[in-house]
Amino acid sequence: MSPTRVLVLNSGSSSVKYQLLDMRDHSRLAVGLVERIGEETSRLRHRPLWAGGEDREREGAVADHDAALEAVAEELAKDGLGIDSPELAAIGHRVVHGGRRFTEPTVVDDAVLAEIERLIPVAPLHNPANLTGIRVARGLRPDLPQVAVFDTSFHTTMPESAARYAIDTETADRHRVRRYGFHGTSHAYVSRATARLLGKEPEDVNVIVLHLGNGASASAVRGGRCVDTSMGLTPLEGLVMGTRSGDVDPAVIFHLMRVGGMSADEIDELLNKKSGLIGLCGDNDMREIRRRVEAGDERARLAFDIYVHRLKKYIGAYYAVLGRVDAVAFTAGVGENSAPVREAALAGLESLGLEVDGGLNTAPGDAARFISPAHARVAVAVVPTDEELEIATQTYELVGKDV
Ligand SMILES: Nc1ncnc2c1ncn2[C@@H]1O[C@H](COP(=O)(O)OP(=O)(O)O)[C@@H](O)[C@H]1O
Ligand SMILES: CC(=O)OP(=O)(O)O
Ligand SMILES: [Mg+2]
């Protein structure tokens, strides 16, 4: 029988998330996470769903992504699900930046690796880790197809009017400066799942997707195709995020250089790692921010209000871009779990047909569900994302043709 399993690796700047799936029924055989890579306090959590055993945890320094992937391989082998298994059909990798070239999932060869490497300057937090994941996996299983699934692919349908910055065209083209957009596997998956929830085909619905995780982005999806998204050349533009500023006047950078005496690298670090929620109030976790707001903390309150104000602006902007909106879908860690963010983001938008039902919004649940009242003109939904399943599906579709 042909192999039917796919291992998905989502290598982040300081973490590796992984899942092993059986594509016959999309069941998860094992899932896990290595976090705080490069620190003394690294931790691996492994859940052997197939073997049905207890979750396993390892604590202690994991020096780099090579060591992290070695540890993942060891844990999988303990359950008899080793990377050497003949049942593995392919390994699917999340790659954050694919530039304009990669509009589809792609089997990795040396030329593809070189292109992902060339794009490091526009995804410095993400592409290096993605590359390491691919290289290590290739070393372990050179015989297997390694498939790269790009965050940018779903956004390659954006019209030029949305994808271009209004700067000198020749300069922009020479340096490939344009808006690429990210979190595309999530926006694709969630917009389709939202259509399903509405009982419609993706071609027939217009959806605003709000992916609110540590990184956060919004997208406007018309008939299954992305027409605008909030991230740009890099994953820094747009919404307020856990540690990233999102939109700022570009002159802030020159001001900090000329008046503040800061270097380009220092400002890069400021805007990517010391801004957003953490820069505003010292915490980047929405749970902690809400605890502080409830306790009357003014800094946390202001951080929350700035986060929600930006979100509301993008909802309004994408409403205008789409003209007709069938649904607004909240997803990822904050979007799926924070009722106060959902309520505040849509407050006062009743004249646009947008309403949240208090009871539905705060009711617990893990499945895709509506949180708007039955009479609302526009559906509002919580739709859990599943980037790993989407990557596995795209990977298997690509290699399934050959196995
Ligand atoms: N129960 C919750 N309530 C509010 N926010 C939550 C909850 N659980 C997770 N989050 C938020 O989700 C974020 C992580 O989102 P996630 O989509 O997992 O991000 P990433 O994939 O970028 O690591 C956390 O930083 C936290 O702010
Ligand atoms: C592209 C991006 O921002 O990804 P993440 O949310 O995983 O950091
Ligand atoms: Mg994420």
Side-chain angles (χ1 to χ4, degrees):
M1 204 183 72
S2 304
T4 56
R5 291 178 184 169
V6 172
L7 176 65
V8 175
L9 295 178
N10 178 349
S11 304
S13 53
S14 66
S15 70
V16 175
K17 294 181 190 166
Y18 61 95
Q19 288 195 6
L20 181 68
L21 297 103
D22 190 325
M23 298 315 290
R24 283 174 298 190
D25 57 0
H26 292 177
S27 60
R28 291 179 164 73
L29 307 177
V31 305
L33 163 75
V34 189
E35 53 190 345
R36 295 194 289 273
I37 296 170
E39 296 178 37
E40 290 301 310
T41 57
S42 317
R43 183 168 66 158
L44 180 148
R45 274 182 295 170
H46 179 85
R47 177 165 288 184
L49 297 165
W50 178 71
E54 297 272 297
D55 290 4
R56 297 197 290 272
E57 263 196 45
R58 287 201 211 177
E59 306 224 351
V62 175
D64 51 27
H65 281 76
D66 293 76
L69 289 160
E70 210 170 286
V72 171
E74 277 170 27
E75 291 302 325
L76 288 168
K78 282 184 199 164
D79 299 324
L81 299 170
I83 292 182
D84 56 355
S85 162
E87 289 175 79
L88 205 54
I91 302 182
H93 300 264
R94 178 188 182 205
V95 178
V96 163
H97 216 313
R100 291 186 80 181
R101 162 135 171 238
F102 299 114
T103 58
E104 299 286 343
T106 304
V107 174
V108 175
D109 58 20
D110 289 340
V112 172
L113 271 183
E115 182 66 11
I116 298 171
E117 190 159 9
R118 201 183 59 77
L119 291 162
I120 285 176
V122 280
L125 299 182
H126 296 93
N127 270 32
N130 304 156
L131 269 174
T132 305
I134 297 173
R135 288 203 174 108
V136 172
R138 241 184 156 193
L140 291 170
R141 282 299 298 271
D143 58 313
L144 271 192
Q146 310 284 331
V147 176
V149 178
F150 298 90
D151 261 43
T152 41
S153 291
F154 183 60
H155 304 300
T156 53
T157 54
M158 276 196 289
E160 288 294 280
S161 53
R164 279 197 177 266
Y165 293 108
I167 61 175
D168 171 66
T169 302
E170 201 216 315
T171 307
D173 288 349
R174 185 167 351 116
H175 300 291
R176 297 188 175 87
V177 172
R178 60 188 280 117
R179 308 187 60 255
Y180 294 94
F182 301 89
H183 295 136
T185 44
S186 179
H187 288 286
Y189 178 88
V190 170
S191 55
R192 266 192 277 114
T194 306
R196 212 176 309 127
L197 189 66
L198 289 166
K200 297 197 170 156
E201 294 300 320
E203 298 76 49
D204 299 327
V205 297
N206 293 350
V207 187
I208 297 174
V209 179
L210 306 168
H211 175 108
L212 312 176
N214 234 322
S217 63
S219 69
V221 183
R222 175 181 289 135
R225 291 162 70 85
C226 178
V227 293
D228 203 354
T229 194
S230 59
M231 285 177 164
L233 174 71
T234 78
L236 182 55
E237 190 178 341
L239 301 174
V240 176
M241 313 184 207
T243 67
R244 294 173 232 163
S245 61
D247 297 334
V248 293
D249 179 345
V252 167
I253 297 162
F254 318 133
H255 181 78
L256 290 174
M257 283 179 146
R258 292 177 189 138
V259 179
M262 293 174 75
S263 69
D265 285 345
E266 283 167 346
I267 299 169
D268 194 333
E269 163 121 355
L270 173 82
L271 296 180
N272 273 298
K273 297 193 174 159
K274 298 178 183 163
S275 297
L277 292 169
I278 207 162
L280 289 166
C281 75
D283 273 308
N284 65 338
D285 192 306
M286 192 52 80
R287 283 164 289 200
E288 185 55 26
I289 291 170
R290 286 305 307 173
R291 262 193 291 277
R292 287 173 54 188
V293 171
E294 300 300 331
D297 183 320
E298 285 303 321
R299 263 183 84 201
R301 170 92 247 167
L302 181 59
F304 180 82
D305 288 349
I306 294 170
Y307 182 94
V308 165
H309 179 75
R310 183 84 51 84
L311 191 53
K312 186 176 281 188
K313 284 213 290 198
Y314 271 92
I315 294 167
Y318 289 170
Y319 204 118
V321 165
L322 290 170
R324 186 200 86 222
V325 178
D326 298 295
V328 174
F330 287 88
T331 196
V334 176
E336 290 167 33
N337 295 299
S338 182
V341 166
R342 297 190 297 253
E343 187 193 329
L346 297 179
L349 301 184
E350 295 80 5
S351 67
L352 296 179
L354 287 165
E355 281 179 69
V356 168
D357 177 281
L360 294 175
N361 190 32
T362 49
D366 294 328
R369 59 196 182 276
F370 292 114
I371 57 168
S372 44
H375 65 258
R377 264 194 290 133
V378 180
V380 181
V382 176
V383 181
T385 193
D386 198 334
E387 288 164 284
E388 282 77 17
L389 175 60
E390 180 70 18
I391 291 168
T393 304
Q394 295 195 14
T395 297
Y396 194 63
E397 270 172 15
L398 186 64
V399 304
K401 294 172 197 146
D402 308 325
V403 292

